[in-house]
Amino acid sequence: MEYFWYVAAALGAGIGTGLAGLSAATVMVPILIVLCPTFGGEYGAYQATAIALASDILGSAVTASVYAKNKHIDLKHGWVMMACIIALSAVGGYAAYLVGNVVLGGFTLVLTFCIGIRFLVKPDTSKSGADASSVRLGWKEVLISLFFGLTIGFGTGFVGTGGGMMMLVVFTAFLGYDLKTAVGTSTFIMTFTALIGFISHSLIHPAIVLERWNVLIICIVTATAASLISAQFANRVNGKTVGRITGVILTVLGAAMIYLNYFRAA
């Protein structure tokens, strides 16, 4: 039965990445730690986040390539954030190992639900009339990029995500990106943060590769295929449609996982 949940988690993760640039951990980690007993041990959540990061590498890469073909990537205004995020991701990964399962797992469940509500309330996060090409990367934008880049970078390692959702909000709310360009740019950056995060997690806890190699293969292949298909779909429809679909999926998933993890046990 666990293999069913591995595939389901990877499918949901890939769809979230392709549609809205979400990290695989947003969907995958809650499912693995709640519905798969083998991830209920002391470092179950840590291993689940590492598997999610591994799934993010190729999933984000193929998603970014689809958005790039449709001219929806802009690193001109995102290079500062990219540098900060990559620098801090490994530090966050070590901190997550020290904290352990309880804080990490619970935070991810709540984050999933909150992100879903965010999309339902505002499915298209871009500024009205904003155009990234018209926004200069001045000192204000650099400071914003430094602050959020360092924060997101630590969070990517700590929570075990690629930081896609957080980057999406910053790109659209502060740097004037439209939704599709924000997704394309964030998934490009997430390819590298996920790679660094997975390597750091594996070096700290080698059992992820030695004992969970079968789960890694299933999740990577499934998530990559789902990311490719959903990214192609997202580039054919408008941003609001993508936002609403993502919001429904994450809200239902987050609420279900919170119930199963906390209320059913009580």
Side-chain angles (χ1 to χ4, degrees):
M1 188 62 185
E2 280 204 16
Y3 283 91
F4 169 80
W5 293 119
Y6 297 157
V7 175
L11 279 174
I15 292 171
T17 300
L19 285 179
L22 301 181
S23 168
T26 307
V27 176
M28 190 176 294
V29 173
I31 293 177
L32 293 181
I33 64 177
V34 173
L35 299 176
C36 300
T38 59
F39 284 91
E42 183 180 1
Y43 294 111
Y46 191 80
Q47 293 180 345
T49 58
I51 292 170
L53 284 166
S55 302
D56 261 335
I57 298 170
L58 287 179
S60 296
V62 298
T63 297
S65 67
V66 173
Y67 280 84
K69 288 180 182 178
N70 289 275
K71 300 181 180 179
H72 289 309
I73 288 184
D74 178 12
L75 291 176
K76 181 179 179 181
H77 304 93
W79 67 270
V80 175
M81 277 188 59
M82 179 177 178
C84 294
I85 290 169
I86 291 175
L88 267 291
S89 59
V91 177
Y94 183 70
Y97 181 79
L98 298 178
V99 169
N101 205 46
V102 176
V103 174
L104 185 60
F107 182 81
T108 306
L109 295 178
V110 176
L111 182 63
T112 301
F113 180 75
C114 291
I115 292 174
I117 295 295
R118 170 77 169 87
F119 270 115
L120 286 177
V121 173
K122 193 174 182 181
D124 191 346
T125 55
S126 57
K127 283 182 175 180
S128 178
D131 181 6
S133 63
S134 65
V135 179
R136 291 187 58 191
L137 192 62
W139 65 269
K140 182 178 179 182
E141 287 72 28
V142 170
L143 290 178
I144 290 173
S145 297
L146 285 172
F147 173 77
F148 285 108
L150 294 172
T151 304
I152 294 171
F154 183 83
T156 58
F158 184 79
V159 185
T161 72
M165 177 58 192
M166 292 176 280
M167 282 189 278
L168 186 71
V169 173
V170 175
F171 282 138
T172 55
F174 296 99
L175 297 180
Y177 283 44
D178 64 88
L179 181 59
K180 291 183 180 180
T181 302
V183 171
T185 306
S186 64
T187 51
F188 178 82
I189 297 174
M190 201 158 61
T191 302
F192 301 99
T193 60
L195 176 61
I196 293 172
F198 174 69
I199 291 174
S200 64
H201 275 63
S202 299
L203 291 175
I204 293 170
H205 193 60
I208 294 167
V209 176
L210 299 176
E211 299 176 7
R212 299 286 191 174
W213 59 268
N214 57 330
V215 186
L216 278 169
I217 294 174
I218 291 171
C219 290
I220 290 172
V221 172
T222 305
T224 301
S227 297
L228 178 61
I229 295 171
S230 58
Q232 292 172 337
F233 168 78
N235 278 274
R236 294 191 180 101
V237 299
N238 61 61
K240 288 185 178 180
T241 300
V242 173
R244 289 193 182 101
I245 294 172
T246 306
V248 170
I249 293 173
L250 293 182
T251 301
V252 172
L253 173 68
M257 293 300 102
I258 290 173
Y259 171 78
L260 291 172
N261 194 49
Y262 296 110
F263 296 100
R264 191 181 67 171

